[in-house]
Amino acid sequence: MKKSHTLIVGAGISGLALAKALLDRGLPVEVVERRTAERQALGTGLYLPANAVRTLQAIGVGDQVAKRAEPVTWQRLQDQRGRTLAEFEVSRIWGEVGRCLAITRGDLHEVLRTAVDGTVVRHDTEVRSVSDDGTVTFAGGTSGTYDLVVGADGINSTVRRSLFGGPEPRFLGQLCWRFIADDTAAIPGITEWTARLGGKGRTFLTVRLNGGRVYCYADINSPVPTAPAGDWRALFADFGGPVPRLLDQGANAHFAALHESENTVWTRPGTVLVGDAAHAFSPSMAQGGAMALEDALVLADTLATGPDVPTALAAFQARRASRVAWVVSQNHRRDKARNLPTPLRNFTARRAGERLFKANHAPLHALP
């Protein structure tokens, strides 16, 4: 394929990973990002399962990520009182795929940004619309025409809304809070506490980071996508173990209502969606970042080997559709399980926790 001029809209994880992969293959690329570089660097933590770490290695930044990350070797499921329901080595889930890591979003973004030639990324540049002929109109009235436009601009993607139509992302009935805390007790690996209160499923999860820190994630079921009144931390006041002292550090937690994209077609003749712009979904499988990174690698491969852009995009859709669909289906199963009666959920975790995790992730062992 001739060296098509590509514009990537969005300089997040998928956009920067794609830019790195395309540049490595000698394909010219520009990246635009509506946020300033300072605002984009904000964020909390990120768990990178083994298929994500494998993809980062293939993109050429795996060693740099590992230097900033914390290995995740154990996973533990507990009830709200801190009683262990299941515990297993993460390597038993992923086997030869490789190790799992935890990192701050800021650190991962910095690694990817550093790996990309700084001249290809323009911050504080907002896209207003995209046309089928590859014309992109920017805020301020300027425009440009490209052989390929990639929407890597998140769940509220302007590229998707301009060209793809379809339903808006739907609310999943869950609210979440994320923050990073100091971890004086050195909580190992991933630990998840679950409970129900007044019909609300609740989860508090920790992932150990480097530097004596821990990434904290909390969520509840909710019929509406708005934060409840009062201090959200009161919803988890009955949780035991280290949760109370971690909550003391969560006053400024990042709040989000969780949504899922219902779009299943991510390509048009000269446009493609990747990452959350294509397939935002529940964090139950911790595969959002992994799927975004895999999108970047697969799209770069199909563009580098295809005879033309439409053919490459068709190959991308074909390679990604079933894999993403699997993750979505497993998310739905896991989200449904969180609403089982507490005795049944706890019994299932004790008897089959590790086996269920293996089954959830088995198809992801294969290369994307």
Side-chain angles (χ1 to χ4, degrees), residues 4-5 8-9 13 31 57 78 87 99 104 127 137 150 182 210 218 237 267 301 307 327 345 354 367:
S4 301
H5 192 188
I8 299 172
V9 182
I13 291 172
V31 184
Q57 198 69 42
Q78 298 184 323
E87 186 175 22
R99 60 180 173 170
T104 67
V127 170
T137 302
V150 181
D182 292 329
N210 66 4
T267 65
D301 283 345
V327 173
R345 187 187 61 233
E354 182 178 332
L367 291 170

Side-chain angles (χ1 to χ4, degrees), residues 77-78 80 174-177 191-196 200-206 216-221 232 235-236 239 243 247 284 334-335 338-339 345:
L77 307 178
Q78 298 184 323
Q80 79 271 26
Q174 296 176 41
L175 309 176
C176 77
W177 294 264
T191 303
E192 178 178 337
W193 294 262
T194 60
R196 286 179 63 82
K200 286 183 166 60
R202 298 174 295 154
T203 299
F204 192 94
L205 179 143
T206 61
C216 301
Y217 167 91
D219 69 29
I220 62 166
N221 290 348
W232 70 271
L235 297 165
F236 300 87
F239 277 47
V243 175
L247 286 170
S284 294
R334 290 163 68 103
D335 285 341
R338 68 185 262 129
N339 294 313
R345 187 187 61 233

